[in-house]
Amino acid sequence: TVEKGSPEEVLMGLKTGTTTYAMVFDTMCTYAGLHSKIISGYAKGADYRPGMKFTPGSNQHSWNAIYIYGTWCLIDANWAARRIIGKQASTEEFHYQLDEYFFLPDPHQLIYTHFPDDGRWQLLERSVTLEEFENMPHMKPQFFKYGLEFVTHRTAVIYSRGEIHIRLRYPAHKIAVAFNFTIQFEDGNEEYNSIKLNRYGLEESVGGIASFSLRLPVSGSYMLFIYAKEDTPENKENVYAQVCEYKIEHESVSESFPEPYPPCSSLTWGPGSAFYRYG
């Protein structure tokens, strides 16, 4: 048993679900003499899929606003404490690791994943509507960490016919970024007629633009997960992190049987970072 009112009791409450990270953080702020507020709303969490609609009682989440530096800032201590590893949202893929992104993120970025019930707590000059929030592409913290921007396809769901060309901009002058991707059917199947769906995609990075060309084999619903990593010799970890995901409603194919691209060991075509590194 733990002592009533002790820190251990609070931590046990987080484990058993009798309290929330937002409530604990709010209590700590009170003890520290800081103004804080618990914000409730919708969040695009582990079980979110692009195109989902938000209804009362689903995807409910809470986070905090704190008054520091003479202004209100946002904090999500819950998401800062754990990171999702892998594509599917099962509990064993939660990895407890500090993610400082969720301490004082830019409200213009947090709005892509957090939608407060009270629009004032968006802390934006122009409030975003729930419909706009639902249609926004699903980006992860690494999307902003690498300074990425959308050039095309600024919605969570892409309706397509024939070939699809998705482009992202990255700050090539500042950082060497390598990209990767996974294509799968909405049910999670990654093959079509024993051929990996990734073979129907091609990625090329030139001049600060990452282009993803897809010629999907049949009409249907697909998921596209895009990954990135800092591609430098110093980056020993060499792990790709997911930066965004799309749902693709492919309405028709351009030719009778779209051919997969030739096999390529890395899915990435064209000049890589080493090409520029060696001048």
Side-chain angles (χ1 to χ4, degrees), residues 154-172:
R154 297 162 189 272
T155 55
V157 182
I158 298 171
Y159 295 91
S160 61
R161 295 179 175 198
E163 285 205 13
I164 311 161
H165 300 281
I166 298 166
R167 293 184 185 89
L168 300 178
R169 183 180 289 112
Y170 62 97

Side-chain angles (χ1 to χ4, degrees), residues 125-180:
E125 306 80 36
R126 185 191 78 79
S127 291
V128 166
T129 66
L130 180 59
E131 188 180 1
E132 286 174 318
F133 176 71
E134 290 170 340
N135 289 331
M136 285 174 166
H138 189 209
M139 293 116 92
K140 303 296 174 103
Q142 267 69 18
F143 187 94
F144 303 109
K145 177 185 170 186
Y146 294 131
L148 307 182
E149 295 173 44
F150 294 105
V151 178
T152 63
H153 301 90
R154 297 162 189 272
T155 55
V157 182
I158 298 171
Y159 295 91
S160 61
R161 295 179 175 198
E163 285 205 13
I164 311 161
H165 300 281
I166 298 166
R167 293 184 185 89
L168 300 178
R169 183 180 289 112
Y170 62 97
H173 58 287
K174 271 202 243 164
I175 185 172
V177 184
F179 292 90
N180 210 323

Side-chain angles (χ1 to χ4, degrees), residues 52-72:
M52 273 174 63
K53 300 295 179 202
F54 291 90
T55 51
S58 71
N59 300 85
Q60 293 291 144
H61 186 54
S62 58
W63 57 101
N64 300 83
I66 181 169
Y67 192 78
I68 47 174
Y69 310 127
T71 186
W72 284 100

